[in-house]
Amino acid sequence: SQTIHQWPATLVQPVGSPLSLECTVEGTSNPNLYWYRQAAGRGLQLLFYSVGIGQISSEVPQNLSASRPQDRQFILSSKKLLLSDSGFYLCAWSDPGLTGNSPLHFGNGTRLTVT
Amino acid sequence: DAKTTQPTSMDCAEGRAANLPCNHSTISGNEYVYWYRQIHSQGPQYIIHGLKNNETNEMASLIITEDRKSSTLILPHATLRDTAVYYCIVRVARSSGGSNYKLTFGKGTLLTVNP
């Protein structure tokens, strides 16, 4: 069966420090991968998605970047964190399939607090 | 993508059926209805999805009206562990040489199951 791993679970970082969050998926090949952010009391905002190695699409301009160095690895990064980067970051995957209606499967998230 | 409207919150007694409504009056013919839920401090969990026909799985049933302008998620015997925010999303399935799609989450319905 497929599993998704996301770490760390919680992170406290000072303003201006770098960030690297990692997500890996097991049990599937060539998944679509996604990074979402959820601010307190709000819905989920799609940040990045990827359909293959090295292919990244950004949904909103921001202080973050994403990379996909391997088929089942997705990394969220920042060179200098801002206070507004605090939030709950979620990685997700979906099966590309043929019909395009396969659901998203989420990791357990990383709660980032920028101080 | 079509927008959805859900009540902000609902209560349900433990052991009773929980019926969560969703309005998607602008849905188009090729858009699927998806339901997810998010338990506090965890990643969203996929529940069920459908296009036209009613669907049932081990977690819930999805009832879609004939005109597809609304749907209801039914948890047949709600337990305390079903307390969560439930998201209704409509999204077109896209295939483009291997498929890719993204979901936009709103604020959902907070379902509280009471003992």
Side-chain angles (χ1 to χ4, degrees):
Chain A
S1 64
Q2 302 89 355
T3 56
I4 180 169
H5 303 279
Q6 191 179 341
W7 67 93
T10 59
L11 189 61
V12 179
Q13 292 283 96
V15 168
S17 64
L19 173 72
S20 180
L21 302 181
E22 189 164 344
C23 171
T24 59
V25 180
E26 296 178 357
T28 186
S29 296
N30 194 32
N32 293 331
L33 296 173
Y34 309 80
W35 278 111
Y36 281 84
R37 177 172 60 198
Q38 186 173 35
R42 296 188 176 184
L44 275 69
Q45 179 188 34
L46 178 63
L47 303 176
F48 302 95
Y49 65 94
S50 171
V51 300
I53 296 174
Q55 300 178 62
I56 309 295
S57 297
S58 175
E59 286 297 294
V60 293
Q62 57 206 326
N63 186 40
L64 302 168
S65 62
S67 62
R68 184 171 178 173
Q70 301 180 43
D71 180 44
R72 291 169 290 174
Q73 183 185 29
F74 206 24
I75 297 171
L76 183 69
S77 303
S78 174
K79 293 182 178 178
K80 290 185 178 182
L81 283 169
L82 306 173
L83 286 174
S84 58
D85 291 324
S86 293
F88 191 43
Y89 288 84
L90 291 153
C91 181
W93 72 273
S94 68
D95 187 345
L98 296 175
T99 59
N101 67 348
S102 57
L104 285 173
H105 302 279
F106 287 85
N108 284 327
T110 295
R111 186 152 316 271
L112 172 66
T113 303
V114 182
T115 60
Chain B
D1 299 329
K3 293 184 178 180
T4 62
T5 303
Q6 298 177 255
T8 303
S9 63
M10 293 182 63
D11 285 338
C12 178
E14 187 178 17
R16 296 295 188 107
N19 298 284
L20 291 94
C22 180
N23 182 287
H24 31 80
S25 58
T26 60
I27 194 170
S28 58
N30 61 348
E31 287 185 307
Y32 284 76
V33 180
Y34 296 83
W35 282 85
Y36 290 77
R37 72 179 183 184
Q38 186 174 23
I39 296 170
H40 183 62
S41 296
Q42 296 182 20
Q45 177 188 25
Y46 164 74
I47 301 173
I48 200 167
H49 74 284
L51 182 63
K52 295 181 181 179
N53 299 322
N54 297 336
E55 302 287 344
T56 296
N57 62 21
E58 65 279 4
M59 291 182 66
S61 295
L62 173 61
I63 308 299
I64 303 174
T65 58
E66 192 170 345
D67 63 8
R68 301 186 70 242
K69 293 185 176 182
S70 66
S71 61
T72 301
L73 179 74
I74 301 173
L75 307 179
H77 305 287
T79 70
L80 299 179
R81 288 176 294 181
D82 292 322
T83 293
V85 177
Y86 287 77
Y87 297 98
C88 168
I89 302 149
V90 293
R91 191 63 173 90
V92 63
R94 292 177 176 168
S95 292
S96 53
S99 46
N100 169 43
Y101 77 102
K102 51 187 188 258
L103 297 180
T104 302
F105 288 71
K107 295 188 177 181
T109 297
L110 172 60
L111 173 69
T112 302
V113 181
N114 300 306

